[in-house]
Amino acid sequence: MKKLILVFSLWFTCMTVSAAQDLATQAESFYRAGQYAQALSAYEQELKKHPNSPYLYYNIGNCYFKMGSKGLAAANYFRAFKLRPQDSDIRHNLSLALAGGGEPLVPAGMPVALHKAFFILPIAELKGLVCALGWLVCILLGLWLLTRRGGKLTIVLGVLLLTCSAWLYMRHSWETQPLAVVAAPLAEVRSGPGPNFPTSASVQQGHLVEVLDSKDNWQQIIVRSQGLKGWVENTALERI
Amino acid sequence: MKRILLLLTLCITATALWAQVQLSATADKTDLALDDELTLTVQVSGVSGTMVMPQLPSLPAFNVYSREAAQTTVNGKTTLLFKYTMMPRFVGSTSIGPVTFKYGGKIYQTSPIAVRIYRNTPPTTAKQNAASSRSSATVSASAQAANDVAKLPPLERELATRAYAHTNEPYFIVAAVSNKTPYINEPFILAVRFYYSKAFYDAPYQNPTVSNLFMEEAGEAQGQQTIHNTIYRYEEKRYRLSGVSAGDASIGAASVSFRPGSSPLSVFDRFFGGAAVEPEQTVSSKPMKLAIRPLPTAGKPTSFYGAVGTGYAFSAKLDREQTEAGDAVTWSATVQGPGNLKTTADLTFPTVDAASSYPAAPQAGYLPNTQNRSYKIFKTELVPTSSGTYTLPALQWSYFDPLTHTYKTLTSRPLTLTVTPSTRTEKQVNFTGTDTTGLGIQTFGQDIRYVLPAEDLPPSALSRLPAWKGLHALVFLWLAGCLFTACFGKRVSARKQAFHTAKAQLKKVTTYENISDALAAYLLAKFQISTASLPLKDITAALARRQVPTTQVETFAALWKELESARFAPLQGQTNTLSHLTARAEELLGQLEGSK
């Protein structure tokens, strides 16, 4: 009986892996054939199983991009970027999608190398780094307290810990920003949360905006670079 | 012999007389554009002997730049063919005058050929007429009937009347304006006519100078007028004028410098006995003074942009009535009327809610086939930012009517614009053109990178560290322990060791000072009382504060005094006293240690 269960378990595992590979292969085949809607559907099914896969978000973004939805493409690239910011392909495609909306990935005046360095680690690894440094500093500090030896190394590591903590704080602030991407071809920005308020501006598809508040089906957004603030319908935005 | 010679002479003379000389002149076209060329063919047949050149008429409207000649002789009869290629100089109706040919003491002339010169391509009908007339050998030379001056329009009548004032002058110029007291910016016409009854050539024309007036050319014309039984031809030039500011304005003299007589065909003709070159003459028109009237300020509407005249038309339109949000729509307003609308100010379009407005430069010009009517088109690009149905307000445009001396306002109809939500999508690929990197690589554009295998990425060891919460606690415990040890451990152990240390010191004493030092070290380690800087009174008070029993404090005070006395005033039998005091010190330490 035990043998039977073992064999069944092995078979089930093999079948599951094979089905997953089939779906990914199918999605790529659709993509290669230019059937982006089918590829998107397959990748979205995969995403349900692996919700934290940066490359699934990346591939979904590619499908949206090819289908002409730059806003949704940018949103998915952004999700992938958050999970794996050091990946050059993700960075490239996100830059391209945001450039369509007139929003550069690297803020104006910031060197690209610095931006890349800032995003060289995913936030989970950055937390791990800060953690490890914290431990090391604690151990060395304890030793120094007892023996009054290794003070210089402790100071150096302490400074490094502080720097990494500030880096982590900034990354965390960036990651928890309530961002959204304009998904509609043109989002009408109104002065209040409703169609009875006049339109004060319009924001092009793919533009990155910050969400401040929400009421019913309307979200208050701000485009800090332009000083533009107003209300946009939920359907026109894709939250990241 | 004489008879034979006489007969021969008579025969030749008779032959010459009987020969029917035929002269004809044809033009390959009678309707042509300003940049066309016209070929005038003059054929002389029935002559014999050496070639004789025909004499061309004065051709002020043409520049003759090519001449060809051919001669054929059949049975002693010679046919001469002359071809003149010429380009027109002015727009209007003109004529190629009679070509004169002198032969055998007789003068032969062709009929004048009427030619119409257009600014651009002649109309089709004109071309057809030209085609039919091309086959015609000669053009009717019937003289035009004398103009009935009284029936002429005012400006033409004025010119004709002024022309009548000239008698026995083969060349003169007259000028007249259609309005001598115009308002500011009111359009009027200046006409200048150069009358001539005799041929001339090399006639450069000098435009009149003006002050306080805006002037531009309005075309040319040719005509004919009988003055005192003399047929004059004239070249007319017209100008559109308008006053710049209120006050006096003047029009200077227009002049023509010319040489009377027929134009020599070429340098060779002049050299080989052609027409003698006449001295140059100049004729000028009389200068004129005008008074420009100011426009009334009373009742001037805000929509008045400076147009003065009558018969203006104003309308507004959209290039399409339905569009998408984000797409541009052209909202234009057109005004047509007399005079030069270029000099008027630009129309200001009202702002439209939910649409950005980008005004464009207006277009202005004169309407074709009209003498003095112009148009001006004002445009603005509207870019609706949101969907909906919008009503564009009616536009107003005012002008001053010089006939009624009042301002009048024209209003266009309101327009409706339907804006649907935008469906525009961006291009998928941003091609930036061909760029050479200089490294043998050419980039043609940018596209997104290909899909990646969606494999699960195992979390790195670094990212798993924060999850080791037990290790966090362990490290913090370690740090706390170290900190505690560093802060309190040494002090506690020193306190515990104080008694033993002091006892050990007492066993090794050799002087009174050693006993004092042992006691002082004990007090410092045990009670944190430094005896170095305190008098005895303060030391005992400190011991009392630390709950040391009074008897022990008194014992300590007595011992400390004895030790100080022994140190600074040694007694006899020092060794016994030293051991005694050491024993007392040990006893005191035991009591102090026991009390704590």
Side-chain angles (χ1 to χ4, degrees):
Chain A
M1 183 64 187
K2 278 183 182 173
K3 279 183 182 175
L4 193 66
I5 290 170
L6 188 66
V7 168
F8 180 75
S9 301
L10 278 170
W11 174 81
F12 183 75
T13 310
C14 288
M15 286 305 291
T16 310
V17 169
S18 140
Q21 282 179 347
D22 284 351
L23 203 59
T25 314
Q26 265 186 5
E28 196 198 339
S29 303
F30 283 133
Y31 188 87
R32 282 184 69 185
Q35 296 169 318
Y36 303 117
Q38 287 91 326
L40 177 67
S41 174
Y43 281 129
E44 279 179 339
Q45 279 185 47
E46 272 285 285
L47 192 68
K48 284 175 190 167
K49 294 175 199 164
H50 310 282
N52 289 320
S53 168
Y55 295 118
L56 279 175
Y57 283 117
Y58 168 86
N59 293 345
I60 288 169
N62 271 16
C63 293
Y64 277 121
F65 195 96
K66 289 291 181 189
M67 287 159 73
S69 264
K70 271 198 174 175
L72 290 170
N76 281 285
Y77 289 142
F78 226 100
R79 288 168 189 144
F81 185 71
K82 275 186 173 180
L83 291 166
R84 201 163 171 75
Q86 72 270 37
D87 191 288
S88 62
D89 291 332
I90 294 172
R91 170 178 275 272
H92 175 266
N93 285 12
L94 176 61
S95 300
L96 211 61
L98 288 178
E103 188 81 17
L105 175 63
V106 182
M110 187 179 191
V112 178
L114 184 64
H115 191 265
K116 282 185 176 177
F118 186 68
F119 289 102
I120 201 161
L121 289 177
I123 195 157
E125 288 186 12
L126 190 56
K127 279 178 187 170
L129 180 67
V130 170
C131 200
L133 276 172
W135 293 344
L136 207 57
V137 169
C138 283
I139 291 163
L140 286 173
L141 191 63
L143 285 172
W144 178 80
L145 284 170
L146 293 177
T147 62
R148 302 288 166 178
R149 285 179 185 174
K152 284 181 184 172
L153 181 65
T154 311
I155 289 169
V156 169
L157 284 174
V159 170
L160 197 61
L161 175 66
L162 284 174
T163 311
C164 287
S165 300
W167 180 14
L168 177 64
Y169 173 76
M170 285 191 284
R171 276 290 298 276
H172 186 262
S173 305
W174 181 83
E175 299 245 347
T176 51
Q177 257 187 322
L179 293 175
V181 173
V182 176
L186 202 72
E188 293 175 353
V189 183
R190 294 178 187 270
S191 58
N196 52 325
F197 291 95
T199 306
S200 57
S202 65
V203 184
Q204 219 180 347
Q205 190 183 38
H207 214 96
L208 198 65
V209 297
E210 197 179 323
V211 180
L212 300 178
D213 194 8
S214 63
K215 280 188 198 309
D216 301 328
N217 292 326
W218 293 82
Q219 298 193 46
Q220 191 182 28
I221 62 149
I222 184 164
V223 183
R224 291 199 189 274
S225 59
Q226 306 293 319
L228 176 69
K229 193 174 176 184
W231 293 82
V232 176
E233 268 190 295
N234 275 353
T235 51
L237 292 177
E238 177 76 9
R239 287 293 292 265
I240 299 165
Chain B
M1 184 63 188
K2 282 182 180 177
R3 283 181 184 176
I4 293 168
L5 283 172
L6 186 63
L7 279 172
L8 193 62
T9 307
L10 281 172
C11 280
I12 291 167
T13 309
T15 307
L17 287 172
W18 291 338
Q20 290 185 336
V21 175
Q22 289 183 330
L23 174 69
S24 68
T26 57
D28 66 336
K29 57 186 85 164
T30 54
D31 292 87
L32 69 159
L34 205 53
D35 54 352
D36 277 352
E37 57 180 37
L38 181 145
T39 304
L40 176 70
T41 307
V42 178
Q43 188 174 332
V44 183
S45 56
V47 293
S48 58
T50 54
M51 184 184 284
V52 181
M53 299 289 284
Q55 191 173 0
L56 283 182
S58 169
L59 296 166
F62 293 95
N63 284 327
V64 181
Y65 67 89
S66 167
R67 188 194 70 171
E68 292 174 30
Q71 180 176 342
T72 52
T73 305
V74 180
N75 295 330
K77 299 291 180 188
T78 302
T79 302
L80 303 172
L81 198 66
F82 302 93
K83 281 191 177 180
Y84 304 92
T85 308
M86 53 189 88
M87 282 192 81
R89 292 172 62 195
F90 310 111
V91 173
S93 296
T94 184
S95 65
I96 299 170
V99 179
T100 308
F101 184 73
K102 291 179 182 174
Y103 182 75
K106 282 190 171 180
I107 295 171
Y108 301 90
Q109 280 191 322
T110 61
S111 301
I113 302 170
V115 177
R116 277 181 295 182
I117 302 160
Y118 297 87
R119 188 168 297 279
N120 297 311
T121 310
T124 317
T125 49
K127 282 183 178 175
Q128 287 168 352
N129 291 341
S132 60
S133 64
R134 203 174 296 137
S135 59
S136 171
T138 54
V139 179
S140 170
S142 62
Q144 287 179 9
N147 292 322
D148 187 354
V149 175
K151 288 179 184 175
L152 289 171
L155 182 60
E156 280 72 11
R157 189 167 62 237
E158 178 74 20
L159 288 164
T161 308
R162 289 185 182 200
Y164 264 100
H166 294 267
T167 51
N168 297 325
E169 291 179 52
Y171 312 100
F172 61 88
I173 290 183
V174 292
V177 290
S178 60
N179 189 349
K180 286 178 182 172
T181 55
Y183 281 101
I184 294 173
N185 215 28
E186 183 185 352
F188 62 100
I189 296 287
L190 163 69
V192 179
R193 277 185 188 174
F194 171 48
Y195 283 87
Y196 56 95
S197 59
K198 291 184 178 175
F200 67 93
Y201 63 95
D202 288 351
Y205 172 74
Q206 187 70 43
N207 283 318
T209 55
V210 293
S211 70
N212 196 23
L213 292 167
F214 180 84
M215 181 176 85
E216 59 184 354
E217 293 187 12
E220 294 160 1
Q222 289 83 30
Q224 191 167 288
Q225 187 180 339
T226 304
I227 302 169
H228 307 299
N229 298 322
T230 305
I231 296 171
Y232 280 87
R233 294 188 59 77
Y234 62 79
E235 303 289 336
E236 183 180 300
K237 234 180 153 169
R238 290 194 169 212
Y239 305 89
R240 297 185 189 97
L241 298 173
S242 57
V244 175
S245 60
D248 291 336
S250 63
I251 300 169
S255 64
V256 175
S257 297
F258 59 91
R259 291 179 191 279
S262 298
S263 164
L265 281 173
S266 67
V267 176
F268 295 101
D269 288 325
R270 292 181 190 180
F271 186 78
F272 292 108
V277 176
E278 292 286 335
E280 188 177 85
Q281 291 183 22
T282 301
V283 287
S284 305
S285 65
K286 286 180 182 172
M288 283 180 277
K289 292 274 184 195
L290 305 175
I292 310 295
R293 286 186 285 176
L295 293 170
T297 52
K300 188 184 280 186
T302 53
S303 56
F304 176 71
Y305 298 102
V308 179
T310 53
Y312 286 101
F314 181 66
S315 63
K317 67 172 185 177
L318 287 167
D319 65 339
R320 58 187 189 280
E321 291 175 348
Q322 190 165 358
T323 188
E324 282 185 8
D327 279 0
V329 179
T330 306
W331 185 14
S332 61
T334 305
V335 61
Q336 289 184 2
N340 183 11
L341 284 165
K342 274 184 208 168
T343 55
T344 59
D346 295 348
L347 176 82
T348 308
F349 283 89
T351 55
V352 179
D353 291 340
S356 305
S357 187
Y358 304 97
Q363 299 169 353
Y366 282 93
L367 292 166
N369 303 322
T370 61
Q371 272 213 331
N372 195 26
R373 282 185 73 82
S374 64
Y375 67 90
K376 196 168 186 180
I377 303 169
F378 309 96
K379 286 181 181 176
T380 187
E381 295 296 325
L382 287 179
V383 182
T385 53
S386 59
S387 57
T389 302
Y390 304 100
T391 301
L392 306 184
L395 300 174
Q396 288 196 322
W397 194 84
S398 302
Y399 65 97
F400 181 76
D401 188 345
L403 297 178
T404 60
H405 310 287
T406 55
Y407 290 98
K408 290 181 177 173
T409 300
L410 301 169
T411 307
S412 70
R413 65 181 175 85
L415 302 168
T416 304
L417 176 64
T418 307
V419 183
T420 55
S422 176
T423 57
R424 191 172 39 180
T425 54
E426 295 297 318
K427 281 181 183 176
Q428 292 187 2
V429 181
N430 298 327
F431 283 100
T432 54
T434 304
D435 290 331
T436 306
T437 59
L439 299 170
I441 300 167
Q442 280 191 332
T443 55
F444 298 100
Q446 276 193 312
D447 195 9
I448 53 167
R449 291 184 182 162
Y450 191 63
V451 289
L452 294 167
E455 58 195 16
D456 272 340
L457 294 170
S460 64
L462 204 59
S463 64
R464 273 183 281 179
L465 287 184
W468 297 354
K469 288 178 183 169
L471 203 59
H472 294 347
L474 214 60
V475 169
F476 279 108
L477 273 175
W478 156 258
L479 186 63
C482 291
L483 199 64
F484 183 79
T485 308
C487 292
F488 306 106
K490 282 181 181 172
R491 198 176 294 172
V492 170
S493 62
R495 201 178 292 170
K496 281 180 184 173
Q497 294 292 322
F499 178 68
H500 300 289
T501 310
K503 274 191 86 175
Q505 280 179 339
L506 286 174
K507 281 176 185 172
K508 295 175 187 171
V509 293
T510 54
T511 61
Y512 294 109
E513 198 174 357
N514 293 144
I515 301 168
S516 297
D517 287 347
L519 280 175
Y522 178 79
L523 289 181
L524 185 65
K526 190 74 178 180
F527 300 104
Q528 286 84 48
I529 298 169
S530 173
T531 57
S533 58
L534 289 175
L536 180 62
K537 190 176 65 177
D538 290 347
I539 298 169
T540 52
L543 284 170
R545 280 200 300 274
R546 284 166 177 74
Q547 312 296 326
V548 176
T550 316
T551 52
Q552 292 172 13
V553 173
E554 285 171 354
T555 309
F556 170 77
L559 181 63
W560 194 259
K561 275 181 187 173
E562 283 181 41
L563 282 169
E564 284 198 340
S565 301
R567 279 171 67 193
F568 299 112
L571 300 171
Q572 294 295 320
Q574 196 177 352
T575 312
N576 290 338
T577 309
L578 185 67
S579 60
H580 173 68
L581 287 176
T582 307
R584 281 179 63 190
E586 281 179 357
E587 190 186 347
L588 178 64
L589 286 176
Q591 285 172 3
L592 287 171
E593 191 66 19
S595 67
K596 280 282 161 181

